Amino acid sequence: MSKGQYETRPEGDGPWIPLGGGTEKGYNNGKEATATCFCGEIQLAFPIDKESIKGTFICHCTDCRKVSSSMYATNFIIETKDLKYNFGKEKIKIFKQSKTILEKNSMSNFFCSNCGTLLNRISSGTPNLNYIRVGSVDDLNLHDNLLKPQVEQFIDSKVKWLEPIEGVEQAHGMEYWK
């Protein structure tokens, strides 16, 4: 496949890491996997055992809608100590705010200073947890299984035309994984 062509899903259950933006070095080695910004300048690594993933959720809050430029954000949670930078940490730009956060904590948003991809967020209320955007994860098969959402939260802010995901808990506020 030449660069710039779309890759169709392969048969089997192994990693599926198609080219996405400038991402060319993503991996899933069975113990950890990567999340990379759109331009490929920043890469995170995180453990992929079920015990390390503290929660998976779709958030319909107005902050997530605005910061993702979409109708919702899809996230997973790991402990901050388990997140590492493979490269590009110096290219992170942090935007922190608390004006609209329900709990009045501050939320730090970690963006690529080159392409603008939001990779992860940390709340001052739970600094031991990292909220990582599922869309930045390089192995798309992880999106279908390990990172499938358990909860849709802030459903009162959800757009009216979006149906609930079958089998996923619906929550009016925020679910916490501590």
Side-chain angles (χ1 to χ4, degrees):
M1 179 174 81
S2 66
K3 192 171 183 175
Q5 291 180 321
Y6 290 99
E7 183 178 334
T8 58
R9 184 182 296 261
E11 296 295 322
D13 294 328
W16 177 39
I17 306 175
L19 180 65
T23 304
E24 295 185 22
K25 299 175 187 153
Y27 64 84
N28 172 351
N29 64 18
K31 293 182 188 232
E32 72 177 16
T34 55
T36 309
C37 67
F38 190 67
C39 71
E41 295 291 318
I42 301 170
Q43 186 176 81
L44 309 173
F46 58 93
I48 56 171
D49 57 284
K50 288 187 182 206
E51 294 75 35
S52 294
I53 307 297
K54 303 301 181 192
T56 58
F57 65 98
I58 288 178
C59 188
H60 297 282
C61 82
T62 53
D63 280 351
C64 280
R65 287 175 63 171
K66 186 62 84 171
V67 78
S68 68
S69 300
S70 187
M71 295 297 97
Y72 57 86
T74 310
N75 307 278
F76 68 100
I77 305 167
I78 65 165
E79 291 188 25
T80 298
K81 68 178 180 55
D82 291 335
L83 182 68
K84 71 177 184 181
Y85 284 87
N86 284 344
F87 52 83
K89 185 174 184 177
E90 72 283 357
K91 296 188 185 217
I92 286 288
K93 184 81 170 173
I94 300 172
F95 173 71
K96 184 176 184 179
Q97 69 98 22
S98 61
K99 181 178 178 184
T100 60
I101 306 298
L102 185 64
E103 294 83 13
K104 300 303 179 204
N105 294 316
S106 60
M107 186 65 82
S108 297
N109 301 278
F110 294 74
F111 293 91
C112 173
S113 61
N114 186 46
C115 67
T117 300
L118 174 60
L119 292 161
N120 59 304
R121 303 176 87 195
I122 298 176
S123 169
S124 63
T126 54
N128 60 314
L129 299 178
N130 236 287
Y131 302 85
I132 303 173
R133 298 298 197 194
V134 172
S136 66
V137 173
D138 299 316
D139 180 357
L140 300 189
N141 278 341
L142 290 175
H143 299 195
D144 286 336
N145 48 60
L146 183 66
L147 303 177
K148 180 183 178 202
Q150 300 163 311
V151 177
E152 279 191 84
Q153 62 187 30
F154 290 101
I155 60 170
D156 297 330
S157 303
K158 181 171 29 175
V159 293
K160 303 288 184 230
W161 48 261
L162 190 60
E163 296 293 325
I165 298 173
E166 188 176 330
V168 173
E169 179 185 341
Q170 303 293 296
H172 293 277
M174 183 165 187
E175 292 294 314
Y176 291 94
W177 294 272
K178 303 217 183 224

